[in-house]
């Protein structure tokens, strides 16, 4: 991962450096800000290469951005971008279509080599994630991909799937469990799913096609796992409950997990154990029975049996081995 922040530059030079080196050189855009406001400018970003795509998270105080025809000629990208708005909202304009606003938590898609202007709404500044995927790395090849002017994601059924994939992609990038090959495969699968979900929403990939079905399977599995995590405390957490929330049949839900490393029930148990381990470390004063209940185990006896089977020790012994302050 590459990180950079304007704190590394003298205050009077921060916006000029951001505009010439970061905005124009790295992102291929023209940044503008009134001269009297430049002394207070702040910006930071991170860049991670994930599978075929690059994931940028950017935070910055208020300024305006333009991707002009000269910017495009200077730094052509030939990629599609999926934007996730995390701040107070943003405005896009200057395209062949109509101007639009994008709210916090919403998504937009575009091809990099079409002109646009954008600015944050209000005084809060920018905060967004951008997944950039080269067109050459997208299996669905269609000339219409290069005609994608910026547009919000308006399909309310697909948006939660997109959010789940984005969240999983961020966690896969941040994780370091030693399984580098497995992590790379997960990242590549999520990047492809996000690209094809965006193309489904824009009418370029059919949901029932091979690529569309693969993207929907990956995304639904991501969302199912997030629904499990959200409802872990419920001891009655069952496939029927998650299937209803996901909008699929129980049979379809089990098919999603058949292609994964763990079944539905194994995933639930594993997530409950992981959460209990974290609580054992972070809350040494909390009763083990209370931790078991809060993680959805139906009884203390069940919790001890499952924990011992997984880790070869009782929860109390695990807690005793945790170094103080960890």
């Amino acid at each position: 991962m590459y990180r950079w922040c304007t704190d590394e530059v003298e205050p009077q030079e921060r916006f000029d450096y951001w505009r010439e080196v970061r905005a124009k050189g790295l992102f291929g855009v023209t940044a503008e800000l009134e001269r009297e406001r430049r002394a207070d400018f702040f910006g930071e970003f991170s860049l991670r290469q994930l599978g075929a795509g690059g994931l940028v998270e950017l935070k910055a105080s208020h300024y305006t951005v333009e991707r002009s025809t000269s910017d495009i000629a200077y730094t052509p990208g030939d990629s599609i971008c999926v934007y996730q708005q995390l701040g107070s909202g943003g405005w896009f304009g200057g395209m062949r279509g109509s101007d639009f606003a994008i709210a916090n938590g919403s998504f937009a898609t575009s091809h990099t080599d079409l002109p646009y202007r954008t600015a944050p709404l209000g005084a809060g500044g920018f905060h967004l994630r951008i997944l950039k995927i080269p067109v050459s790395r997208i299996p669905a090849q269609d000339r219409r991909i290069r005609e994608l002017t910026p547009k919000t994601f308006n399909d309310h059924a697909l948006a939660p799937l997109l959010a789940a994939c984005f969240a999983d992609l961020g966690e896969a990038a941040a994780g370091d469990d030693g399984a580098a090959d497995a992590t790379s495969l997960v990242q590549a699968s999520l990047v492809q799913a996000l690209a094809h979900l965006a193309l489904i929403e824009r009418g370029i990939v059919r949901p029932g096609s091979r690529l569309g079905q693969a993207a929907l399977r990956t995304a639904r599995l991501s969302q199912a796992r997030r629904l499990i995590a959200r409802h872990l405390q419920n001891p009655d957490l069952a496939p029927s409950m998650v299937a209803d929330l996901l909008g699929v049949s129980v049979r379809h839900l089990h098919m999603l997990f058949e292609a994964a490393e763990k079944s539905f029930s194994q995933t639930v148990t594993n997530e409950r154990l992981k959460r209990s381990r974290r609580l054992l470390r972070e809350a040494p004063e909390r009763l083990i029975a209370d931790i078991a209940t809060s993680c959805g185990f139906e009884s203390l006896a069940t919790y001890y049996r499952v924990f011992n089977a997984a880790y070869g020790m009782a929860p109390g012994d695990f807690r005793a081995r945790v170094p103080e302050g960890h």
Side-chain angles (χ1 to χ4, degrees):
M1 180 193 296
Y2 176 67
R3 292 182 182 274
W4 189 84
C5 176
T6 49
D7 288 348
E8 298 179 22
V9 181
E10 292 297 322
Q12 67 273 16
E13 300 173 0
R14 286 175 182 172
F15 183 76
D16 287 340
Y17 187 91
W18 180 273
R19 181 180 59 185
E20 298 302 323
V21 179
R22 300 305 170 187
K24 188 171 289 293
L26 185 61
F27 301 118
V29 297
T30 298
E32 293 297 342
L33 181 64
E34 297 88 343
R35 188 163 296 279
E36 62 271 18
R37 299 174 61 184
R38 293 182 182 182
D40 298 322
F41 177 78
F42 170 83
E44 64 178 358
F45 70 88
S46 63
L47 172 61
R48 291 178 266 197
Q49 190 66 35
L50 306 172
L55 181 64
V56 172
E57 181 161 351
L58 181 146
K59 295 181 182 179
S61 51
H62 193 287
Y63 68 105
T64 60
V65 173
E66 180 178 11
R67 174 85 162 146
S68 66
T69 53
S70 59
D71 289 326
I72 293 165
Y74 180 69
T75 53
D78 196 23
S79 302
I80 66 167
C81 289
V82 185
Y83 306 86
Q84 182 181 28
Q85 183 69 39
L86 299 174
S88 57
W91 167 86
F92 276 85
M95 302 87 63
R96 291 198 295 264
S98 59
D99 297 359
F100 66 87
I102 177 171
N104 181 27
S106 297
F107 299 90
T109 53
S110 72
H111 186 272
T112 54
D113 297 346
L114 295 171
Y116 66 87
R117 294 192 304 275
T118 185
L121 292 173
F126 286 107
H127 184 193
L128 67 159
R129 291 194 188 108
I130 309 166
L131 178 64
K132 185 176 177 182
I133 311 154
V135 170
S136 62
R137 303 294 297 277
I138 299 172
Q141 291 296 310
D142 189 301
R143 62 177 179 77
R144 292 174 293 170
I145 293 177
R146 294 182 172 88
E147 300 171 0
L148 296 178
T149 56
K151 183 181 176 184
T152 52
F153 228 75
N154 294 319
D155 190 322
H156 298 300
L158 288 177
L161 300 178
L162 204 73
C165 286
F166 247 112
D168 277 1
L169 188 63
E171 290 180 8
D176 184 16
D177 56 7
D181 291 342
T183 299
S184 295
L185 287 173
V186 169
Q187 292 173 359
S189 175
L190 289 167
V191 168
Q192 287 294 333
L194 283 161
H196 289 132
L197 287 173
L199 296 178
I200 288 172
E201 204 272 343
R202 299 298 290 264
I204 294 175
V205 169
R206 291 182 296 106
S209 68
R210 178 180 59 83
L211 295 175
Q213 288 181 337
L216 289 169
R217 282 195 301 270
T218 297
R220 284 173 179 152
L221 182 59
S222 285
Q223 191 181 11
R225 287 170 169 156
R226 297 202 158 266
L227 289 168
I228 287 170
R230 193 180 306 162
H231 295 277
L232 272 185
Q233 188 172 356
N234 185 348
D236 298 322
L237 177 60
S240 58
M241 175 183 172
V242 174
D244 285 345
L245 292 169
L246 194 59
V248 300
S249 67
V250 172
R251 181 174 178 274
H252 186 83
L253 180 72
H254 283 303
M255 288 174 61
L256 294 177
F257 281 91
E258 281 175 8
E261 184 181 348
K262 295 181 175 66
S263 68
F264 178 90
S265 61
Q266 289 171 331
T267 300
V268 171
T269 299
N270 186 62
E271 290 300 313
R272 284 175 169 160
L273 286 170
K274 279 167 53 179
R275 183 171 294 182
S276 76
R277 278 164 57 98
R278 189 179 74 247
L279 292 173
L280 287 168
R281 286 194 300 266
E282 296 176 358
E285 75 291 342
R286 193 167 177 181
L287 294 175
I288 291 176
D290 183 37
I291 289 175
T293 300
S294 72
C295 294
F297 289 97
E298 59 186 14
S299 70
L300 185 59
T302 299
Y303 176 51
Y304 269 80
R305 176 176 55 79
V306 173
F307 194 99
N308 189 69
Y311 306 119
M313 67 181 79
D317 294 332
F318 171 81
R319 173 180 269 172
R321 294 187 181 191
V322 175
E324 207 172 307
H326 287 260

